[in-house]
């Protein structure tokens, strides 16, 4: 499923295309997509296809098409402090974007059937925290992933504000999914080839809305012999953050405010193109008079006036477009990468171990 938008050259180009096609419609969703490079979740040797609007699968590792993730993120209507459950969490790409929006006081859990994919997701999450400049521009809720079949979740598990299922759900499985949702919560999942948004409006009342026609592989059923008990999946506990974590969050928040958000994590190079507009003029002969001695003598002079004819305006527009394509180096401003939050932390008169803790033990 995918192919709804043009392929991009890089992550920002892909997001531009998704915005133009109206798959990304809100600023917070756009910021989350730009903060995490989709290509970082591809295996080496496959990254060339990362910025196409296509799903990708290699072994058990799977990514949905960007247009699907865009619609899911918009339909979830995420806010800071919400709890989120990702059923079929895969590489952790979607869960990580969600974590940027719900923030450190949210809950971010994922259930994935394949153990090797959970290990892959944890590895990618660790890389993001330790190496990405985007990490310093957000207050982040780290995802917690567990291995198991999402159709075998313990019946005494807590409920969530937002739930997403990344595999095809049969009609008879719909009620099972709804139980995982709090009143007022939103569930997004593919049901009978339709990406569907379900809002729980009461203890036993629901509102459904079809979002997009999709094609998903069905949820995997657990294979077991006769009389064999299923492997129950226990979701991670919802715990209160430790005093150390709270201190880190508020220290980073204060430093970030002092440093100024505009300077955090700038891209390494920004090009600012300035169009050079030309004013087209035509010469017109007019008659005037000048004094020569005591005599008034007629004289022809040339005067310039703007030409606003349709053909001339078209030609002017064409010339401006050609100038923009040339991208004259004289019109390009180079801005060096700056990470003010990291600089602030490193400049503090603190032990190196405490600096490392404030930076989430970052290697970079």
């Amino acid at each position: 499923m995918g192919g709804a938008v043009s392929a991009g050259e890089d992550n920002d180009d892909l997001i531009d295309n998704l915005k133009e096609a109206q798959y990304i419609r809100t600023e917070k969703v756009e910021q989350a997509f730009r903060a995490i490079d989709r290509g970082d979740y591809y295996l080496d040797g496959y990254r060339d296809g990362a910025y196409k609007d296509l799903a990708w699968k290699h072994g058990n590792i799977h990514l949905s098409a960007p247009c699907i993730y865009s619609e899911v993120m918009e339909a979830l209507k995420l806010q800071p402090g919400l709890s989120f459950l990702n059923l079929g969490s895969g590489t952790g790409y979607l869960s990580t974007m969600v974590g940027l929006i719900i923030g450190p006081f949210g809950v971010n859990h994922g259930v994935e059937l394949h153990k090797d994919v959970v290990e892959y997701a944890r590895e990618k999450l660790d890389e993001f925290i330790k190496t990405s400049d985007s990490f310093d521009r957000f207050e982040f809720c780290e995802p917690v992933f567990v291995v198991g079949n999402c159709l075998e979740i313990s019946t005494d598990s807590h409920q969530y504000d937002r739930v997403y299922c990344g595999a095809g759900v049969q009609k008879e499985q719909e009620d099972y999914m709804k139980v995982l949702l709090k009143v007022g919560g939103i569930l997004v999942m593919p049901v009978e080839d339709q990406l569907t948004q379900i809002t729980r409006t009461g203890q036993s009342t629901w509102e459904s809305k079809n979002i997009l026609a999709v094609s998903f592989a069905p949820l995997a059923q657990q294979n077991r012999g006769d009389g064999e008990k299923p492997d129950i999946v226990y979701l991670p506990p919802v715990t209160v953050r430790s005093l150390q974590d709270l201190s880190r969050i508020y220290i980073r928040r204060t430093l970030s405010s002092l440093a100024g958000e505009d300077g955090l994590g700038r891209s390494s190079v920004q090009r600012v193109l300035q169009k050079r507009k030309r004013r087209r003029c035509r010469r017109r002969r007019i008659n005037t008079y000048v004094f020569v001695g005591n005599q008034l003598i007629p004289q022809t002079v040339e005067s310039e006036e703007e030409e606003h004819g349709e053909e001339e305006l078209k030609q002017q527009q064409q010339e401006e477009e050609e100038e923009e394509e040339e991208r004259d180096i004289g019109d390009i401003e180079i801005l060096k990468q700056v990470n003010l939050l990291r600089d602030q932390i490193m400049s503090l008169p603190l032990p190196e171990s405490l600096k490392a803790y404030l930076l989430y033990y970052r290697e970079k």
Side-chain angles (χ1 to χ4, degrees):
M1 179 66 194
V5 301
S6 302
E9 295 181 0
D10 55 25
N11 195 67
D12 280 329
D13 199 21
L14 172 63
I15 308 312
D16 290 342
N17 293 338
L18 290 168
K19 280 188 64 182
E20 184 179 356
Q22 289 294 301
Y23 285 102
I24 293 178
R25 299 178 290 278
T26 58
E27 183 179 358
K28 60 187 174 184
V29 171
E30 177 187 353
Q31 289 176 343
F33 269 86
R34 291 195 189 279
I36 300 176
D37 195 318
R38 178 178 168 91
D40 291 342
Y41 289 78
Y42 277 61
L43 292 169
D44 293 341
Y46 294 90
R47 188 165 177 146
D48 288 346
Y51 310 115
K52 298 177 181 178
D53 188 32
L54 296 172
W56 174 71
K57 191 176 190 318
H58 184 85
N60 292 327
I61 299 173
H62 175 263
L63 282 165
S64 294
C67 68
I68 301 296
Y69 284 133
S70 304
E71 288 289 1
V72 169
M73 289 285 285
E74 293 286 358
L76 286 170
K77 297 182 179 180
L78 298 164
Q79 299 292 337
L82 295 181
S83 56
F84 172 67
L85 176 63
N86 190 350
L87 302 173
S89 51
T91 65
Y93 172 64
L94 179 69
S95 293
T96 303
M97 287 195 291
V98 169
L100 298 176
I101 297 177
I102 64 177
F105 302 109
V107 174
N108 196 352
H109 294 162
V111 180
E112 168 57 43
L113 181 63
H114 304 287
K115 183 178 179 181
D116 60 325
V117 179
V118 170
E119 292 173 352
Y120 185 83
R122 289 170 179 166
E123 177 185 323
K124 292 301 177 183
L125 174 62
D126 190 56
E127 288 177 7
F128 172 71
I129 291 174
K130 290 183 177 179
T131 66
S132 174
D133 283 323
S134 294
F135 179 77
D136 288 328
R137 293 192 287 113
F138 295 83
E139 292 187 326
F140 184 51
C141 182
E142 301 112 86
V144 179
F145 304 112
V146 297
V147 180
N149 190 309
C150 61
L151 292 174
E152 303 294 347
I153 292 174
S154 173
T155 55
D156 61 351
S157 293
H158 42 269
Q159 296 173 315
Y160 292 79
D161 297 303
R162 301 291 187 267
V163 178
Y164 170 64
C165 181
V169 177
Q170 303 301 313
K171 202 67 180 176
E172 60 270 17
Q173 298 166 336
E174 188 174 325
D175 289 340
Y176 169 86
M177 297 293 178
K178 289 178 177 178
V179 172
L180 299 169
L181 200 62
K182 293 180 181 179
V183 173
I186 296 175
L187 165 65
V188 178
M189 60 183 179
V191 182
E192 296 183 339
D193 295 332
Q194 284 287 332
L195 188 64
T196 306
Q197 178 195 62
I198 299 175
T199 304
R200 186 168 191 175
T201 56
Q203 287 296 333
S204 57
T205 55
W206 316 83
E207 290 181 358
S208 297
K209 175 185 175 182
N210 290 339
I211 302 171
L212 189 71
V214 293
S215 178
F216 276 70
L219 280 168
Q221 302 286 339
Q222 191 170 39
N223 294 323
R224 56 179 184 268
D226 294 338
E228 185 180 348
K229 292 183 179 181
D231 296 328
I232 301 299
V233 177
Y234 295 96
L235 297 175
V238 176
T239 58
V240 177
R241 281 190 174 268
S242 68
L243 181 59
Q244 279 188 327
D245 271 352
L246 290 173
S247 298
R248 173 164 60 183
I249 290 166
Y250 281 102
I251 290 172
R252 285 173 61 89
R253 179 180 294 178
T254 301
L255 292 173
S256 178
S257 178
L258 291 173
E261 293 181 355
D262 290 342
L264 297 181
R266 286 179 180 171
S267 57
S268 56
V269 177
Q270 294 181 6
R271 288 184 167 88
V272 182
L273 292 174
Q274 301 172 351
K275 292 184 178 180
R276 295 180 304 222
K277 294 185 178 180
R278 297 178 180 175
R279 188 178 67 177
R280 294 185 57 81
C281 299
R282 65 180 178 185
R283 295 189 178 276
R284 181 181 176 187
R285 292 181 179 273
I286 61 174
N287 291 324
T288 187
Y289 296 86
V290 297
F291 280 98
V292 178
N294 294 325
Q295 293 182 336
L296 193 62
I297 301 175
Q299 182 174 334
T300 301
V301 297
E302 291 183 343
S303 174
E304 291 184 352
E305 70 178 27
E306 285 193 28
E307 182 177 79
H308 298 288
E310 183 177 349
E311 292 298 323
E312 287 77 5
L313 288 174
K314 288 182 179 179
Q315 186 174 353
Q316 177 183 347
Q317 183 179 5
Q318 182 179 352
E319 288 178 356
E320 289 175 357
E321 290 173 351
E322 290 173 355
E323 287 176 356
E324 183 178 353
E325 289 175 356
E326 289 174 0
R327 296 181 182 268
D328 187 348
I329 192 65
D331 294 330
I332 296 178
E333 179 185 357
I334 305 297
L335 300 178
K336 292 185 178 179
Q337 180 171 300
V338 178
N339 190 321
L340 296 181
L341 177 58
R342 189 180 304 159
D343 290 346
Q344 286 268 14
I345 292 174
M346 295 307 295
S347 65
L348 292 173
L350 299 172
E352 292 301 319
S353 58
L354 182 52
K355 291 180 183 179
Y357 180 75
L358 291 174
L359 290 170
Y360 285 79
Y361 307 101
R362 298 185 64 154
E363 298 172 348
K364 189 175 177 183

